[in-house]
Amino acid sequence: MPTSISARRLELPRHVAIIMDGNGRWARSRGLERAAGHDEGARAVREVVRTCRERGVRYLTLYAFSLANWSRPKLEIEALMRLLVRFAEKEAAELKEKAINVNVIGDLDELPTFTRHAVENLIEYTNELPEGTTEPQMTLSLALSYSGRRDVVDAMRTIAAHARSGLLLPEDIDIGTLRRHFTTHQLPDVDLMIRTGGEQRLSDFLLIESAYAELHFTDVLWPDFTSDDLLDAFRVFSGRERRFGRTGEQVKLARVK
Ligand code: IPE
Ligand code: IPE
Ligand code: MG
């Protein structure tokens, strides 16, 4: 039972990333416009943010709008951009009160001005700590106009320019160099990647950052996703043995030391 997991100690993922998929199908199956599925998806976002914060997850990264999503119908994109504004305005107070600081990965500048402003305000507001708090309790990253492949290409361009101008030797380039140039530079690697909606693909999300993430796919459509589903994913994660190239015996030995 997902609700009884608090009874035993869980190995909690430090960084959870979610591909929130299935909004369109949720709406269509009810004879509604796709936008209604996105609206209902905002409820699931609120619930997941609250549960992650309560459980002590340090980083939560949500795939809200991909670079590829610009190819969707104009009306749907507009509905999503308006929903982001509503989300930013409605959730600001609670996020700040809970010391959750919001930031964006991807490219905020590609969003329409009214959406960009609302998200910028949310970032500014939540990055100021509430009274009586000395450090943020959770970082909520919204992936907007995000593409993992583009992050790699942009980083490579900057690194190549630095190498050409003599700031950097090619032999000094390592994965850390690349990571520091990503829009995710302030985030640790992903521990648990969840995708709802039944598809089993990454859709260009956090490609390098998820190199060693545990993947969890569920058929639940995002608007139906609840705390119990999230805790289920945490329980599965906790049961996985993360070997990072070592043998199971090595991992067990390291644990008892
Ligand atoms: C995910 O749900 C939300 C966004 C991409 C913004 P979809 O809109 O992709 O839902 P389906 O996959 O069509 O059901
Ligand atoms: C991925 O979902 C993007 C987001 C959840 C924002 P999509 O529904 O756009 O992914 P594909 O196109 O089916 O792979
Ligand atoms: Mg989809």
Side-chain angles (χ1 to χ4, degrees), residues 164-208:
R164 189 178 49 193
S165 63
L167 279 172
L168 188 70
L169 294 172
E171 55 269 34
D172 289 340
I173 298 170
D174 59 17
I175 191 65
T177 322
L178 204 59
R179 287 284 271 109
R180 280 192 292 280
H181 287 89
F182 287 168
T183 62
T184 57
H185 61 90
Q186 72 282 29
L187 304 175
D189 280 351
V190 175
D191 297 301
L192 173 62
M193 166 77 75
I194 299 171
R195 181 171 188 142
T196 63
E199 313 292 355
Q200 304 201 353
R201 54 177 176 254
L202 293 178
S203 302
D204 204 11
F205 195 37
L206 303 171
L207 300 178
I208 304 287

Side-chain angles (χ1 to χ4, degrees), residues 9-24:
R9 223 181 99 61
L10 267 186
E11 181 96 40
L12 198 70
R14 181 161 173 251
H15 184 180
V16 177
I18 308 183
I19 302 173
M20 311 180 290
D21 197 20
N23 297 353

Side-chain angles (χ1 to χ4, degrees), residues 63 65-71 81 104-111 142-159 178-184 202-209:
Y63 209 1
F65 193 80
S66 71
L67 180 63
N69 287 148
W70 289 115
S71 53
M81 294 301 141
V104 163
I105 60 170
D107 195 347
L108 193 52
D109 289 341
E110 288 172 346
L111 268 52
L142 303 176
L144 296 172
S145 196
Y146 176 86
S147 155
R149 287 187 295 197
R150 180 172 65 179
D151 237 11
V152 173
V153 171
D154 287 351
M156 287 307 300
R157 284 191 179 147
T158 309
I159 293 167
L178 204 59
R179 287 284 271 109
R180 280 192 292 280
H181 287 89
F182 287 168
T183 62
T184 57
L202 293 178
S203 302
D204 204 11
F205 195 37
L206 303 171
L207 300 178
I208 304 287
E209 299 85 341

Side-chain angles (χ1 to χ4, degrees), residues 14-43:
R14 181 161 173 251
H15 184 180
V16 177
I18 308 183
I19 302 173
M20 311 180 290
D21 197 20
N23 297 353
R25 279 164 283 163
W26 182 92
R28 285 295 184 218
S29 71
R30 287 164 174 77
L32 302 168
E33 290 299 320
R34 294 177 56 85
H38 299 312
D39 288 348
E40 191 61 24
R43 182 217 48 83

Side-chain angles (χ1 to χ4, degrees), residues 78-90:
E78 278 170 12
L80 278 163
M81 294 301 141
R82 281 197 302 273
L83 173 61
L84 267 165
V85 174
R86 285 205 304 282
F87 176 84
E89 289 171 353
K90 262 174 85 174

